[in-house]
Amino acid sequence: DEVDPYQGTIVLATVKGDVHDIGKNIVGVVLGCNNFRVIDLGVMTPCEKILRTAIEKNADIIGLSGLITPSLDEMIHVAKEMERLGMSTPLLIGGATTSRTH
C-alpha cells in the first residue's frame, strides 16, 4: 500500500465570469506549504469542470474564488449543483464580495 504524503486534496478555481485570482493564488500557496495537494483550475472556470475535477481527483475540499459581485451567483450555482449531484465535499468560498451570510 502506497501512503499518500499529502494532508488532503483541494480543487481551487476562480468561478466562471471572473478573472481575479490573487486571493485564490495566495490560498493555494498557503495550502501547498501546509502539505495539501492543490489542483488549481485557474480563472473563468465553469461549474462542470470544477465538479468533474473534484470527483475525478477525489478532492477533500472545493475552493471557489471571485472578486466581483456576479461571482456570488456562480458560487451559488456550483453549490446547488453539488446538492443536486449528492456531493458532500466541503465547499470553501472566498472573495471581496463574500460575507458570513454566504
Side-chain angles (χ1 to χ4, degrees), residues 8-43:
T9 299
I10 182 164
V11 171
L12 290 180
T14 299
V15 294
K16 183 175 84 175
D18 204 326
V19 297
H20 301 91
D21 65 352
I22 293 172
K24 173 187 64 67
N25 294 343
I26 292 169
V27 169
V29 168
V30 170
L31 288 169
C33 289
N34 283 281
N35 207 29
F36 279 82
R37 177 185 297 109
V38 177
I39 301 167
D40 188 339
L41 300 179
V43 301

Side-chain angles (χ1 to χ4, degrees), residues 27-77:
V27 169
V29 168
V30 170
L31 288 169
C33 289
N34 283 281
N35 207 29
F36 279 82
R37 177 185 297 109
V38 177
I39 301 167
D40 188 339
L41 300 179
V43 301
M44 297 284 291
T45 311
C47 173
E48 298 75 25
K49 182 175 182 180
I50 295 166
L51 300 185
R52 183 178 62 247
T53 303
I55 292 166
E56 288 173 358
K57 301 297 183 179
N58 198 26
D60 298 296
I61 306 168
I62 298 170
L64 304 179
S65 175
L67 178 71
I68 59 177
T69 303
S71 298
L72 291 174
D73 292 334
E74 187 61 22
M75 291 179 191
I76 290 166
H77 171 66

Side-chain angles (χ1 to χ4, degrees), residues 47-48 51-52 55 78-88:
C47 173
E48 298 75 25
L51 300 185
R52 183 178 62 247
I55 292 166
V78 173
K80 286 182 177 177
E81 276 299 291
M82 289 177 68
E83 269 187 349
R84 186 183 71 78
L85 295 171
M87 294 178 71
S88 60

